[in-house]
Amino acid sequence: MKKYPYSLIALATVLSIIFFRYRFAVSDQCIYIPIIRKILDNSLYPGDHLFNQPSGKYTIVLPFVAYLSKIFTIRWVFFIGYIAVLFALSWAIYKFAFSFFKNEGVACIALLLLCISRRADQAIITQEGFFTLQPV
């Protein structure tokens, strides 16, 4: 069984958060937050067609986030989700680079590049600066 350097992956996650900062209620979150609130309280937004789209009923992420929002504040749920997604992304980059090059040094460099590189021009980014459902 391959042993992964989880401390290095956790460090990459923390560095990513430091470099890009977390932002709440931006981009697509402005759509998802009302949907989650509607799941929690069905009396909100009566007659709004945004909540009647069939595509919104094909995911378990929204009800899961809504359930967690009953226990914790929605801000904390999104922030913890952001950390979890960044950790998973960092782990996947490390694993992919290691399996492709069979070199731990190259995998670490790939992880470092994930932490420090971000192209935001023309809607091309290496990772989101906020937790949304699209990149998940």
Side-chain angles (χ1 to χ4, degrees):
M1 184 170 121
K2 170 72 176 120
K3 190 173 182 179
Y4 295 103
Y6 290 110
S7 58
L8 179 66
I9 294 168
L11 177 65
T13 302
V14 170
L15 287 175
S16 295
I17 293 169
I18 290 169
F19 286 137
F20 302 126
R21 288 174 285 163
Y22 173 74
R23 294 172 287 163
F24 178 72
V26 295
S27 189
D28 288 348
Q29 286 186 11
C30 294
I31 297 170
Y32 296 123
I33 291 170
I35 292 172
I36 291 166
R37 288 187 174 145
K38 173 80 171 172
I39 292 170
L40 293 171
D41 182 1
N42 205 24
S43 68
L44 293 175
Y45 317 110
D48 193 325
H49 295 292
L50 173 68
F51 306 101
N52 295 327
Q53 297 179 31
S55 61
K57 299 180 185 4
Y58 299 140
T59 179
I60 61 167
V61 175
L62 292 173
F64 182 69
V65 171
Y67 173 76
L68 290 176
S69 296
K70 289 180 181 179
I71 302 168
F72 309 102
T73 66
I74 195 167
R75 288 179 179 266
W76 274 107
V77 173
F78 272 70
F79 182 63
I80 298 300
Y82 172 70
I83 292 171
V85 167
L86 272 181
F87 185 85
L89 177 65
S90 299
W91 177 80
I93 293 295
Y94 180 89
K95 183 175 178 168
F96 176 75
F98 185 82
S99 63
F100 191 71
F101 293 104
K102 304 290 187 219
N103 185 315
E104 193 170 322
V106 172
C108 291
I109 290 171
L111 198 54
L112 177 65
L113 291 174
L114 174 71
C115 295
I116 62 173
S117 68
R118 182 172 189 225
R119 292 202 39 172
D121 57 317
Q122 300 175 358
I124 300 170
I125 54 179
T126 55
Q127 67 189 74
E128 292 282 1
F130 40 85
F131 175 61
T132 63
L133 301 178
Q134 283 182 340
V136 173

